[in-house]
Amino acid sequence: GESVGLHLPTLSVQEGDNSIINCAYSNSASDYFIWYKQESGKGPQFIIDIRSNMDKRQGQRVTVLLNKTVKHLSLQIAATQPGDSAVYFCAETLSGGGADGLTFGKGTHLIIQP
Amino acid sequence: DSGVTQTPKHLITATGQRVTLRCSPRSGDLSVYWYQQSLDQGLQFLIQYYNGEERAKGNILERFSAQQFPDLHSELNLSSLELGDSALYFCASSVGVSDSGANVLTFGAGSRLTVL
């Protein structure tokens, strides 16, 4: 079946460096792509999203890139901090109104080295 | 604190048993979503309720059921439990839409179920 998946289960970066977390999706009908962050012992937390008619969106220290040609999504975190340590999930949804649940990828564990 | 409250935080039970997980969404949120998170399957959407009515169904087993009450809290009932049902169960409510128009969910801290 169609699903959203991640390329790497673990990503280790030095504090202060930029992090890039990748995601491959297969459902070309999805209209929204969303990144969530899950810290240990907590539920997932919304970071940023992008609609399928865009290829880049920026937030505070984060940028999401969408390449529909190769069905690839990435999350870039600038100047990575210890507080960025978490598991990052990409998710997709067919509609923005919440009529369907999100389809999540399996997650990438971001480890920050001091 | 996300404002979504889940109880219990941890639950240990035996195969064949039945448990009920409870969720109170953020004040004023009409939607409740249930997700299951396991090591091998990741985060799986189970079911969504909106203002007491079932709105969307995902990969929810027939042994599982849910409901949303008039006060908007929701319960997820898991019966005839199997070892493979051991997982984190998350409840989420919708906090609105993002600037892009996506539905933004806020999740509770989860209920960890261990089936022995």
Side-chain angles (χ1 to χ4, degrees):
Chain A
E2 296 187 345
S3 64
V4 176
L6 287 157
H7 290 305
L8 295 172
T10 302
L11 176 65
S12 183
V13 299
Q14 291 290 126
E15 183 178 348
D17 287 352
N18 296 334
S19 302
I20 300 176
I21 301 170
N22 296 304
C23 175
Y25 66 93
S26 58
N27 190 348
S28 56
S30 292
D31 200 17
Y32 295 89
F33 300 89
I34 306 161
W35 283 99
Y36 277 83
K37 170 187 181 183
Q38 185 176 18
E39 297 174 284
S40 181
K42 297 184 179 180
Q45 178 184 2
F46 174 89
I47 303 174
I48 191 169
D49 68 319
I50 189 167
R51 196 166 181 183
S52 61
N53 61 356
M54 299 177 68
D55 52 22
K56 181 179 180 179
R57 188 148 186 262
Q58 286 186 289
Q60 190 175 18
R61 277 201 312 119
V62 295
T63 301
V64 56
L65 300 177
L66 176 63
N67 185 332
K68 292 184 288 294
T69 302
V70 295
K71 295 181 183 173
H72 184 268
L73 186 70
S74 69
L75 177 71
Q76 300 178 2
I77 304 173
T80 311
Q81 302 169 357
D84 295 327
S85 286
V87 177
Y88 289 80
F89 295 93
C90 63
E92 62 177 327
T93 183
L94 294 173
S95 66
D100 64 324
L102 297 171
T103 300
F104 282 87
K106 289 203 182 299
T108 293
H109 186 192
L110 180 64
I111 298 171
I112 312 303
Q113 304 285 356
Chain B
D1 184 7
S2 67
V4 178
T5 304
Q6 292 188 246
T7 57
K9 283 188 169 39
H10 298 93
L11 188 55
I12 301 174
T13 188
T15 55
Q17 295 298 305
R18 172 191 168 94
V19 298
T20 297
L21 309 180
R22 183 189 167 102
C23 168
S24 293
R26 285 179 3 133
S27 178
D29 287 351
L30 301 178
S31 285
V32 168
Y33 300 75
W34 285 99
Y35 284 82
Q36 179 194 58
Q37 185 175 38
S38 61
L39 283 174
D40 56 341
Q41 294 294 322
L43 267 164
Q44 298 272 317
F45 168 63
L46 297 179
I47 198 164
Q48 179 203 355
Y49 278 81
Y50 182 85
N51 202 19
E53 299 289 326
E54 182 185 306
R55 189 165 181 185
K57 220 171 196 179
N59 300 318
I60 189 166
L61 299 173
E62 286 192 12
R63 299 183 286 108
F64 296 180
S65 65
Q67 55 184 329
Q68 187 179 27
F69 296 86
D71 67 352
L72 300 178
H73 91 271
S74 177
E75 292 180 357
L76 179 66
N77 301 297
L78 316 174
S79 62
S80 302
L81 285 167
E82 302 175 0
L83 296 177
D85 298 326
S86 295
L88 268 168
Y89 291 85
F90 286 103
C91 170
S93 65
S94 175
V95 299
V97 295
S98 68
D99 292 342
S100 300
N103 188 32
V104 178
L105 301 186
T106 186
F107 286 79
S111 293
R112 182 176 294 279
L113 173 67
T114 302
V115 182
L116 300 176

